Structures are given as structure tokens and as C-alpha cells.
Amino acid sequence: MLRRFNEWRAEHAQSLEKAKEQGIEQGIEQGIEQGIEQGRAEAYQAIADWNKRRLEAEAKGIPFNEPPPSQNGHQHG
């Protein structure tokens, strides 16, 4: 009976480890997806903010020479 319990315990430990690995992989994938979505949202917001400043300056007749945000999220030059 002790032998069966030990076998069960070993199988259970293996199952838990496998589930843990799968959970980690799934969590990493979800984290990457969320990071990409957040990055896109931040980039779109930066462009929208820049464009708003550009249009406001244009409406006021003020020269606007701020470069647009680049694709990697940093300002040019």
C-alpha cells in the first residue's frame, strides 16, 4: 500500500510540474500579447497628442516644428 502511495505521489508531482510549466508558458504568452497591445495604445496616443498640438498650432497660426513621434516611441533628433 505504501508503494502505491509513493507511486501516486510521484505521478502527482510530475503532473503538477507539467501543469506549472504549461501555466508559465501560457502566462508568458499572455504577458507578451498584453505588452504589445499596451505599446500600440501608447504609440497611438503619442501620435494623437502630437497631431492635436499640430492642429492647435495651425489654427492659431503658430509655426509647429515638433517632429512626429517615431515608430519606436521616441522623438526624432
Side-chain angles (χ1 to χ4, degrees):
M1 183 118 113
L2 184 60
R3 181 179 172 161
R4 284 188 182 171
F5 174 73
N6 285 334
E7 288 173 358
W8 173 85
R9 202 169 72 175
E11 289 173 9
H12 184 68
Q14 287 176 345
S15 294
L16 286 176
E17 186 61 30
K18 185 175 181 178
K20 179 181 172 183
E21 289 172 4
Q22 289 173 341
I24 290 170
E25 288 175 12
Q26 183 179 6
I28 290 170
E29 289 173 8
Q30 288 175 347
I32 290 170
E33 289 172 10
Q34 289 174 355
I36 290 170
E37 289 174 16
Q38 182 179 352
R40 283 183 181 150
E42 290 173 2
Y44 291 143
Q45 186 62 51
I47 292 168
D49 292 344
W50 173 85
N51 194 48
K52 181 180 176 186
R53 291 189 301 275
R54 183 186 67 80
L55 292 173
E56 288 173 351
E58 182 180 300
K60 294 176 184 177
I62 300 171
F64 185 81
N65 60 1
E66 177 185 327
S70 66
Q71 290 180 348
N72 64 7
H74 297 102
Q75 291 291 345
H76 291 287

